Amino acid sequence: MKQLIPLLALGLCVQPVLAQTRAARRPATPPPAVSSQTASRQVLPLKKVILYSNGVAYFERRGKVSGRAEIALDFKQSQVDDVLKSMVVLDLGKGRIETVSYNTSLPTAARLSEVPFSVEASQGGGMLGILRQLQGARVSISTGQRSAVGAVLNVEERVVTAEKDKTPVSIRTVVISGDNGELSTFDLADVTSLKLLDGDTQKDIRTFADAKSAERRKESKTIVVKTDGAGERELVVSYTLAAPIWKTTYRVVLDKSGRPFFQGWAIVDNVSEEDWKDVSLSFVSGNPSSFIQPLQQPLFKYREVKGLPSDSSTVPQGVNIPEATGMASSPGRVVGGAVTPNIPVNGRNYSNLALLSNGATANMSQNYSPSPPAFRREETAGDTNISEAIRTGDTGVTTAAKGGEVGDLFEYRVAQPVTVERNQSALIPILQEQMDGERVSLFNAKMDGVRPMFGIRMLNTSTLTLENGPLTVLDGDAYVGESVLYRFKPQDRRFITFGLDLSTQVKVKSKDSMEPVFFVKCANGALYAQYSVAQKTTYTVTNQSDKTRTIYIEHPVRDNWKFSEDTEKPASEADGLVRFRRDLKPNETVEIPVTERQIVTDTFQLARLTREDLEIFINKKYIDEASRPIFERILDLNARIQKIEEDKENGEKEIETIEEDQKRLRENINSLGGKPEAKTLILRYVTKVDAQETRIEQLRKSITDGAAEQEKLRKELNDALKALAFDRKL
């Protein structure tokens, strides 16, 4: 408790000076524009809200103003960047937009860089940490028994042993150098009052407290629009903010004939601090680009810090000065004479922070280029169209930029004004219409089991593009299932399934077959034989109820497969599927055969033609008897070329065997040496080697001659293959 008293006393002492410093620091109000009237501050009513599916909302405010007026708009700190990026201000009565301004200040890091101390745990914390950084400052200090006025000379902390239980006790003291030269020591535990007497020190304390307070609080910001003109006129202010995405949900009610009545709702969440009262509400689907950029923080340009000449110094010789508190050795940005790091904004570090107004005001006609929302819509009766006002120049804003049409986004516009209170959600009806459709069953062979799905085949007869959303189906007054509706454009037809049809059964049977060759072609030394592979799929559908059923069978469309002529024409085709329709009477069973064919080509390279291939060609009538001699010649040339190739391989193998044998004989001769008794054996070895050399010469000549003959035969074969070309239908 004794430690708390000095801190309270310190706060009480500096509070009056704090108010004076804030008043002195407040920026001077700019001189008012020349006008015959005093500006009146008012708030424009919210007239229009447009919610986008990309997480932003467009807000439009309209109201009447007269003469010189000020419009105050309050926003959360997190919303200001979006407002600065998107705000459009129009004076539709040819008035003049003077300024758009808002309150701002230096970032906390920049403000604290000017304070020569900090309250951190590393400094000891509390009163001890503060006093250690205030050495030399003049203070007035008091305990219950004595007081002193002077400069803080030293602050120390020491540990002593208690007399009773011998436990270590920490004692913190401050030494004061009095104005009369007397040194006094005070135990901080006994101090009841501590007052700072130096004006500069008091200012530093206030600056530190203000910066930390602003950092802790998430303050709102007020943007003030000032306009001046003659008489009463209409003022429009619009902007975009982050907002919850709007959602859609649908219901379908089937009548006795299965015709669907369709109802669509939009779910709206008003999480703002303002009621949306009788606003024109719209919903826009699409995905326009959107981003966040920090614009409200002041921007500082980094300036290079250059050192003095190498033979100069700011420190006298013989004096060592430690590095100043808070100064960084690495390069940073210079703010107020100190180097500060990048400033964190919304959890990120930004070294360049854009600013529209630095503590004063910014002229919108010079610094802001408005751009209207990129969609087309009708205006409420009596309203002046913004795009028309911009085209005619009746906006009160001079801009050098002009834009064209960006693109079309689909809009749902609620016909009547809507009210949604703050922190409330609402379901807004966007569609109620009798659609064109029928109750059906839908079967796909990829489904598990033999039961189709209950569904609706529906045509979007409305003028709206329906966004993604859940759909609940009611049959009369009974709930029958749910589904998910995906983006559904006008005049599109869609199958919507919502449950399993337990009264209809579908069995699937497939059979593959290969049909005879129907076309033969010979070209480029190859023979091509084309034939068809067929697959017949039979769907056997049984209506097991006493009611008439309409069923659609979905069959996949495969590349390079075509439906045969005996397959019925599909009722529809989309998304890689064809659908066959059947109306089934009660307890009726029908078959839906689907036959597909694919053309397959077998290729025979005639350069490798065999006797078996030729017999197949003749038996299957790929060739006629008149063409047989040509193929017989090709077959003979192939056989002769193959015989030469085989002789070559056999000759090379024999040469390899002889050379291995000669190697063995030479080793034997060397081992016998010059012994007289070995002469006969050596003579026999030499005679054999001589005969082998003769055989090698014969083999190599045969291989060479064979290669020449083979080259000649290959040329004859190539000429024969080139000359062979025909087409034949079978």
Side-chain angles (χ1 to χ4, degrees), residues 20 63 70 78 197 253 337 349 367 502 575 617 705 712 715:
Q20 298 174 9
E70 293 183 358
S78 58
L197 302 180
V253 181
N349 288 329
N367 298 287
L502 299 178
D575 302 326
F617 294 168
D705 294 343
K712 179 182 176 183
K715 186 177 182 304

Side-chain angles (χ1 to χ4, degrees), residues 609 633-644 646:
L609 184 68
R633 182 168 179 266
I634 293 174
L635 192 60
D636 178 64
L637 290 172
N638 279 337
R640 292 167 63 184
I641 292 173
Q642 185 63 31
K643 179 63 170 61
I644 294 174
E646 292 175 358

Side-chain angles (χ1 to χ4, degrees), residues 536-608:
K536 184 177 182 179
T537 304
T538 303
Y539 297 93
T540 303
V541 186
T542 302
N543 180 3
Q544 298 174 328
S545 71
D546 57 358
K547 297 181 181 179
T548 301
R549 299 277 186 186
T550 297
I551 188 169
Y552 283 83
I553 302 295
E554 289 186 339
H555 188 86
V557 177
R558 297 182 291 176
D559 293 339
N560 302 322
W561 289 80
K562 294 184 178 180
F563 295 103
S564 62
E565 295 180 357
D566 59 348
T567 299
E568 68 178 81
K569 184 178 180 180
S572 64
E573 180 176 353
D575 302 326
L577 296 169
V578 292
R579 298 181 179 93
F580 301 94
R581 175 186 171 123
R582 278 287 192 278
D583 293 324
L584 281 76
K585 298 177 181 178
N587 301 309
E588 182 183 11
T589 298
V590 299
E591 288 188 352
I592 304 176
V594 180
T595 302
E596 302 170 272
R597 285 184 171 85
Q598 181 185 37
I599 296 177
V600 180
T601 301
D602 287 345
T603 302
F604 301 88
Q605 295 296 332
L606 298 181
R608 296 190 293 272

Side-chain angles (χ1 to χ4, degrees), residues 325-499:
T325 302
M327 295 292 289
S329 59
S330 59
R333 292 188 293 109
V334 178
V335 182
V339 181
T340 64
N342 291 341
I343 301 168
V345 177
N346 295 333
R348 300 180 179 177
N349 288 329
Y350 295 92
S351 58
N352 295 313
L353 301 178
L355 174 66
L356 175 66
S357 169
N358 187 8
T361 58
N363 192 310
M364 286 292 292
S365 64
Q366 298 177 0
N367 298 287
Y368 192 73
S369 298
S371 95
F375 56 83
R376 297 200 300 261
R377 62 183 186 279
E378 298 178 356
E379 296 296 326
T380 305
D383 288 348
T384 301
N385 188 286
I386 290 181
S387 60
E388 178 65 20
I390 293 176
R391 186 181 68 81
T392 59
D394 298 335
T395 64
V397 177
T398 302
T399 175
K402 293 183 179 181
E405 185 172 304
V406 177
D408 291 336
L409 301 176
F410 194 82
E411 179 186 23
Y412 303 82
R413 182 170 187 142
V414 182
Q416 301 297 327
V418 174
T419 296
V420 182
E421 297 181 355
R422 73 188 74 179
N423 297 320
Q424 295 288 323
S425 297
L427 272 75
I428 310 296
I430 58 176
L431 176 65
Q432 293 193 88
E433 186 165 326
Q434 190 79 41
M435 295 287 194
D436 182 8
E438 59 178 342
R439 183 193 290 111
V440 299
S441 296
L442 185 68
F443 180 82
N444 188 297
K446 293 183 179 180
M447 296 179 179
D448 295 333
V450 296
R451 301 294 181 182
M453 296 291 293
F454 265 135
I456 310 169
R457 184 171 181 260
M458 188 170 65
L459 175 69
N460 184 2
T461 56
S462 73
T463 60
L464 300 180
T465 296
L466 305 179
E467 281 299 302
N468 301 349
L471 180 145
T472 300
V473 182
L474 303 174
D475 192 347
D477 57 356
Y479 164 85
V480 292
E482 298 176 353
S483 183
V484 175
L485 182 69
Y486 297 98
R487 191 176 178 87
F488 196 12
K489 294 185 177 181
Q491 299 305 311
D492 276 359
R493 194 175 291 276
R494 184 76 56 83
F495 285 87
I496 302 172
T497 58
F498 52 84

